[in-house]
Amino acid sequence: MANLKTIRDRIQSVKNTKKITEAMRLVAAAKVRRAQEQVIATRPFADRLVQVLYGLQNRLGFENGNLPLLRQREPKCIGLLVVTGDRGLCGAYNTNIIRRAENRASELKAEGKDYKFILVGRKAIQYFQRREQPIDATYTGLEQVPTSAEASKIADELLSLFLSESVDKIELVYTKFVSLISSRPVIQTLLPLTIQGLEATDDEIFHLTTRGGDFEVTREKVASQSKALPQDMLFEQDPLQILDALLPLYLNNQLLRALQESAASELAARMTAMNNASDNAKELIGTLTLSYNKARQAAITQEILEVVGGAEALQG
């Protein structure tokens, strides 16, 4: 039977670990709520921007404008923007997105196309650098809740690559937030821009709430109010010039939303991982406590037997 002191020290060690994992779970929950508040705060601007673009698209038709960000080229070189985290302890979050990006690179290579990586997050950078993959730019140290300034900085690099024809197409590989226990790696085309996504469709906002002491996510349907511009509206500038100025803002908004969803997915994955670690620690504490009680009972029994044996020897 194991030494009582060893088991007691082990129980205390697991209890200390459980306190840490529980604290990390609560911190991640608080940051998820901050991310949620930021998404809601930036939504009015995003909605208004989409309304204007939707109206211009109906008035002009994107296909009628020979604008650089809308120009389709034969994709000979693809830029892959991969968004991961800077830290671990978030389950399979980083592994899943890296694997998705690696599979996409293999597909492009099989098709005879070149590719370049633009990497966000230390985990992706370390992984692809070790494998000597073509990396054009890297970004680390982003805020836990991404900001528009950070999205704009990355978007400037993407625009530079696309407009200089260093790449003919840019694909975004990120993690789409589904729920606290589910996220999905997806690929989205960022450049060239298309009219897809500007139609008046319903959207969802996720809210992190508590019920019965447990965290849960509620969904709220939000109807888009995109409407066509009045036919008698006059423009002081050429509408194509307005469209050319708004498209980079639309790109920034798309990128910011993807960064926010990736951050929410990472935090949710960390919450789940720390919750599982806390549950495992609780189970292990129970098992060790049982072992400790058995060892203690065996020690007491042994002492009683020794006392009885000594008494019988004296009587003999």
Side-chain angles (χ1 to χ4, degrees):
M1 191 64 67
N3 182 274
L4 288 175
K5 184 178 184 305
T6 301
I7 298 178
R8 190 165 55 246
D9 291 344
R10 175 66 172 155
I11 291 174
Q12 187 59 45
S13 175
V14 175
K15 286 182 177 179
N16 292 338
T17 301
K18 184 176 181 293
K19 291 179 181 178
I20 294 173
T21 57
E22 184 64 19
M24 293 180 68
R25 182 181 76 91
L26 295 175
V27 169
K31 289 182 178 179
V32 167
R33 282 180 168 162
R34 282 179 54 205
Q36 162 193 308
E37 291 170 358
Q38 182 168 343
V39 170
I40 295 174
T42 58
R43 188 178 184 87
F45 171 78
D47 286 346
R48 181 63 63 182
L49 177 61
V50 169
Q51 288 176 27
V52 174
L53 286 174
Y54 183 78
L56 288 172
Q57 184 267 324
N58 282 342
R59 174 71 71 87
L60 302 174
F62 280 8
E63 65 277 1
N64 296 330
N66 187 24
L67 299 176
L69 297 186
L70 303 177
R71 192 173 299 129
Q72 302 283 338
R73 300 195 295 262
E74 181 182 354
K76 297 179 181 179
C77 184
I78 312 296
L80 296 176
L81 174 61
V82 184
V83 182
T84 63
D86 287 334
R87 298 182 298 153
L89 298 177
C90 51
Y93 167 78
N94 291 311
T95 302
N96 289 340
I97 199 66
I98 288 174
R99 184 183 298 116
R100 187 71 181 91
E102 198 171 33
N103 290 342
R104 180 55 178 160
S106 298
E107 292 173 2
L108 294 174
K109 187 175 181 180
E111 295 172 3
K113 298 177 181 177
D114 294 329
Y115 60 87
K116 296 180 179 180
F117 282 113
I118 303 97
L119 304 176
V120 178
R122 188 173 291 109
K123 292 297 181 180
I125 295 171
Q126 292 174 347
Y127 182 88
F128 288 110
Q129 280 181 343
R130 286 197 298 265
R131 287 155 181 79
E132 298 182 351
Q133 292 287 338
I135 300 174
D136 188 270
T138 60
Y139 299 90
T140 59
L142 270 64
E143 294 290 337
Q144 189 69 71
V145 182
T147 64
S148 58
E150 292 170 332
S152 179
K153 181 179 178 180
I154 298 173
D156 288 344
E157 174 66 22
L158 301 181
L159 288 172
S160 176
L161 287 172
F162 184 75
L163 295 177
S164 65
E165 300 189 5
S166 297
V167 297
D168 302 302
K169 185 180 180 182
I170 294 179
E171 295 179 352
L172 170 63
V173 188
Y174 75 105
T175 306
K176 185 175 182 61
F177 181 81
V178 179
S179 69
L180 285 180
I181 59 174
S182 177
S183 57
R184 184 174 68 254
V186 297
I187 297 180
Q188 172 187 338
T189 298
L190 278 182
L191 291 170
L193 294 172
T194 66
I195 62 172
Q196 295 179 1
L198 294 185
E199 296 82 0
T201 57
D202 288 345
D203 201 354
E204 289 182 331
I205 293 180
F206 298 93
H207 297 279
L208 178 64
T209 60
T210 57
R211 177 179 295 177
D214 295 326
F215 292 109
E216 67 174 21
V217 169
T218 61
R219 303 183 183 211
E220 174 188 351
K221 281 284 186 180
V222 181
S224 175
Q225 301 297 322
S226 298
K227 298 179 181 178
L229 297 177
Q231 293 298 319
D232 58 351
M233 178 178 286
L234 300 177
F235 297 93
E236 292 186 2
Q237 291 178 295
D238 184 348
L240 285 179
Q241 293 181 352
I242 299 176
L243 189 59
D244 192 28
L246 290 180
L247 287 177
L249 289 178
Y250 178 69
L251 173 64
N252 289 359
N253 181 256
Q254 291 288 93
L255 184 54
L256 176 59
R257 179 162 184 168
L259 291 175
Q260 290 172 337
E261 288 216 24
S262 293
S265 299
E266 179 186 356
L267 292 168
R270 184 167 289 113
M271 275 183 59
T272 302
M274 293 302 100
N275 185 65
N276 292 338
S278 297
D279 291 343
N280 291 339
K282 183 178 179 180
E283 183 179 347
L284 182 56
I285 290 171
T287 301
L288 289 172
T289 301
L290 181 60
S291 298
Y292 176 80
N293 291 336
K294 288 181 177 180
R296 184 168 176 270
Q297 184 63 45
I300 293 173
T301 302
Q302 181 64 32
E303 290 177 1
I304 292 174
L305 290 174
E306 290 175 357
V307 170
V308 172
E312 290 178 350
L314 291 174
Q315 291 176 358

